[in-house]
Amino acid sequence: QVQLVESGGGLVQPGGSLSLSCAASGSIFRIDAMGWYRQAPGKQRELVAVITRGGSTNYADSVKGRFTISRDNAKNTVSLQMNSLKPEDTAVYYCALRSIPTYYWGQGTQVTVSS
């Protein structure tokens, strides 16, 4: 069984910054990628950023230049630095781990951007 524990999140004003972290533990044979998704009320879950074991990254167009994903392979952790936050970034953010062919998910952490 694989567990993903997220930390960070909270309330921030527009233009502010937040950092999210996620630690994976349990029976992990191989991690192919880790990343972050988000889901706003009434919307589908969407990819925010992903980083592969080799370090390749992919970002949603809406966060490029503002968010940075990083990973520590030795510690099985992934982080998301979010800068210049906008109200439209408000959502529940989920950590994800891909170990082909399975995806594992964290419980989610709320990020609210509001003045």
Side-chain angles (χ1 to χ4, degrees), residues 80-92:
L80 185 69
Q81 177 64 40
M82 304 183 292
N83 299 326
S84 302
L85 282 160
K86 304 175 181 179
E88 51 264 43
D89 294 317
T90 296
V92 177

Side-chain angles (χ1 to χ4, degrees), residues 16-86:
S17 298
L18 280 176
S19 180
L20 305 180
S21 294
C22 173
S25 62
S27 302
I28 305 171
F29 173 65
R30 182 188 68 245
I31 299 177
D32 298 302
M34 294 185 74
W36 294 91
Y37 288 70
R38 67 186 181 187
Q39 187 167 19
K43 295 187 177 181
Q44 290 187 332
R45 190 173 296 188
E46 63 176 0
L47 172 71
V48 177
V50 65
I51 184 167
T52 67
R53 186 169 187 84
S56 297
T57 58
N58 187 37
Y59 294 90
D61 288 342
S62 59
V63 307
K64 284 181 181 177
R66 301 188 297 121
F67 291 10
T68 302
I69 190 169
S70 60
R71 178 175 166 181
D72 187 329
N73 288 338
K75 297 181 178 179
N76 290 338
T77 60
V78 64
S79 298
L80 185 69
Q81 177 64 40
M82 304 183 292
N83 299 326
S84 302
L85 282 160
K86 304 175 181 179

